[in-house]
Amino acid sequence: MRIILALLAALAACAGCNPRGQTAPDPAAHRAHEAYVSAINSNDLPTLLGMLTEDVVFMAAHQPPYVGKAAVRPWLQEYLATYHTQWDKPVQEFVVAGDWAFERYAYKSTDTPLAGGAAVTDSGWGFVVYHHDPDGKWRVARDAWGPDHPAQAP
């Protein structure tokens, strides 16, 4: 509940931001985006987990939310054991409000099966919430994403 209230307070603080999400620059917050994409593309589980808060929430299309690093870990471990992944995530909007940063992005991903076979490509949208942790590092607190195309019926 405290996180929801903090997010609502941060969003209220951003109400005066211009529509493109440009606020006073915070280079460390903006570098969090590059660090996160780099961690994803490292295909290294410890590196990627190091970018996440303990209470992280992943919300991927067609899956239940994964709540907490302990729940995200096995999902990421299986993903990285199955694919070599490469993500491109251009930022469309980035807003910093105190210890929180909000990012809207597009993505293109290429997942190449480690066992061989054709690469799987996807494109879509996403929304990340970063938190500036007490150790001074910006980490991903929430990441929600989905494909540009509608779900295929079975």
Side-chain angles (χ1 to χ4, degrees), residues 52-141:
L52 309 178
T53 62
E54 289 300 320
D55 65 344
V56 67
V57 177
F58 270 20
M59 295 174 280
H62 315 297
Q63 297 187 25
Y66 294 92
V67 180
K69 195 184 280 191
V72 170
R73 176 188 297 269
W75 182 81
L76 284 175
Q77 189 169 13
E78 182 179 342
Y79 177 60
L80 295 175
T82 305
Y83 299 103
H84 174 84
T85 191
Q86 180 68 37
W87 284 62
D88 179 34
K89 294 173 64 167
V91 175
Q92 296 176 324
E93 182 177 27
F94 199 97
V95 176
V96 179
D99 285 340
W100 296 94
F102 307 88
E103 170 188 283
R104 186 172 54 88
Y105 65 88
Y107 75 83
K108 291 183 182 178
S109 65
T110 303
D111 293 333
T112 305
L114 295 175
V120 178
T121 59
D122 195 16
S123 63
W125 53 267
F127 187 79
V128 173
V129 177
Y130 297 94
H131 185 257
H132 191 227
D133 283 348
D135 68 357
K137 187 171 180 179
W138 286 90
R139 289 188 173 85
V140 175

Side-chain angles (χ1 to χ4, degrees), residues 26-51:
D26 182 340
H30 289 273
R31 282 192 303 272
H33 166 81
E34 285 84 19
Y36 186 36
V37 174
S38 180
I40 293 167
N41 291 333
S42 77
N43 290 270
D44 180 70
L45 183 62
T47 300
L48 186 48
L49 288 172
M51 280 299 305

Side-chain angles (χ1 to χ4, degrees), residues 4-17 95-97 100 102:
I4 292 172
L5 292 174
L7 290 173
L8 290 173
L11 289 172
C14 288
C17 298
V95 176
V96 179
W100 296 94
F102 307 88

